[in-house]
């Protein structure tokens, strides 16, 4: 849609991108839309359907991005050097366990590397354990079962599982440091010195 719009517009048009807009950012986007250049083509990305509704984006202007198909997910995972030679069935099993979610697949790939570097795992054994963990999902009543990445009632369980597995690979000291970052106020500015003090 963007490509078509850019091909049919006059020279000098600009592309204005509002990336990863959440509900608390709608009012800011509205203000910026009021002062955008008259020759602008606007792209808004969001994971919240409510944002699209609040910004009066019509059905004809909405373009939902589907999760990756198994073959596309395998091709993506093959770009990681440590997964380049892994059996395709293993990569498809990981894709199925994560429902083709690109970010979750990326986190899973990093988790495999972390487990291999800790020792006692090969890429294949770490991948097998990851697949088993993702298929089981989040353990009921664990802290990670209460995480809410999406606004509203939508919940990305595979991201919760990815975060839990990533957290589990940290040393106890690093887990404590990670938890301490939770005292930072939501949506507030902070500087490197403050992060360094907490860490």
């Amino acid at each position: 849609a963007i490509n078509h719009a850019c091909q049919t517009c006059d020279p000098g048009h600009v592309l204005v991108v509002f990336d990863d807009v959440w509900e608390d950012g709608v009012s800011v986007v509205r203000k910026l839309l009021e002062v955008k250049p008259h020759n602008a083509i606007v792209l808004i990305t969001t994971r919240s359907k409510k944002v699209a509704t609040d910004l009066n984006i019509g059905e004809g202007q909405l373009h939902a991005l589907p999760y990756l198909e198994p073959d596309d997910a395998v091709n993506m995972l093959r770009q990681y050097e440590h997964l380049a030679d892994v059996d395709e069935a293993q990569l498809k099993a990981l894709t199925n366990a994560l429902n083709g979610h690109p970010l979750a697949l990326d986190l899973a790939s990093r988790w495999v590397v972390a487990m291999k570097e800790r020792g006692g795992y090969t890429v294949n054994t770490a991948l097998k354990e990851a697949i088993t963990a993702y298929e089981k999902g989040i353990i009921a009543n664990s802290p990670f079962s209460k995480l809410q990445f999406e606004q509203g009632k939508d919940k990305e369980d595979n991201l919760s599982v990815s975060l839990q597995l990533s957290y589990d690979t940290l040393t106890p000291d690093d887990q404590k440091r990670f938890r301490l970052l939770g005292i930072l106020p939501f949506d507030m500015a902070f500087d490197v010195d403050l992060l360094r003090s907490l860490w």
Side-chain angles (χ1 to χ4, degrees):
I2 297 168
N3 188 45
H4 174 74
C6 289
Q7 286 176 351
T8 58
C9 67
D10 295 328
H13 276 58
V14 294
L15 175 63
V16 176
V17 179
F18 298 99
D19 186 40
D20 201 19
V21 178
W22 291 90
E23 290 176 36
D24 60 359
V26 167
S27 60
V28 174
V29 171
R30 281 200 188 107
K31 290 175 185 174
L32 292 172
L33 286 172
E34 291 175 5
V35 297
K36 69 176 173 53
H38 70 281
N39 58 347
I41 296 170
V42 177
L43 171 64
I44 300 172
T45 68
T46 181
R47 286 174 276 175
S48 170
K49 291 180 181 178
K50 190 172 186 310
V51 167
T53 302
D54 291 346
L55 290 173
N56 298 316
I57 299 172
E59 285 295 325
Q61 297 173 301
L62 288 175
H63 301 280
L65 296 179
Y67 291 142
L68 292 173
E69 293 293 330
D71 288 341
D72 294 329
V74 168
N75 288 335
M76 184 192 95
L77 292 169
R78 290 259 188 246
Q79 302 306 308
Y80 298 100
E81 185 178 342
H82 60 284
L83 298 179
D85 299 321
V86 171
D87 180 63
E88 183 173 320
Q90 285 268 81
L91 298 181
K92 284 193 174 180
L94 179 64
T95 299
N96 291 335
L98 292 171
N99 299 316
H101 194 294
L103 178 56
L105 288 167
D106 177 69
L107 292 172
S109 169
R110 295 168 191 267
W111 184 84
V112 168
V113 171
M115 294 303 289
K116 183 174 179 288
E117 289 176 349
R118 281 179 65 175
Y121 285 89
T122 65
V123 168
N124 285 323
T125 56
L127 189 56
K128 185 176 180 181
E129 184 163 321
I131 292 166
T132 300
Y134 288 127
E135 287 174 342
K136 287 180 180 176
I138 289 288
I139 298 172
N141 299 320
S142 76
F144 286 90
S145 68
K146 298 174 178 62
L147 289 178
Q148 195 79 26
F149 287 105
E150 300 289 327
Q151 295 199 340
K153 296 180 180 179
D154 296 333
K155 189 164 187 253
E156 291 289 358
D157 288 329
N158 44 25
L159 291 182
S160 301
V161 177
S162 297
L163 181 57
Q164 178 176 352
L165 292 179
S166 299
Y167 179 82
D168 288 345
T169 64
L170 299 175
T171 65
D173 283 344
D174 281 346
Q175 287 181 351
K176 181 179 178 181
R177 293 184 180 102
F178 182 82
R179 292 194 303 271
L180 285 172
L181 296 179
I183 72 166
L184 295 170
F186 174 72
D187 208 21
M188 294 286 288
F190 49 83
D191 57 30
V192 174
D193 289 335
L194 175 57
L195 291 178
R196 187 181 296 116
S197 298
L198 287 173
W199 195 257

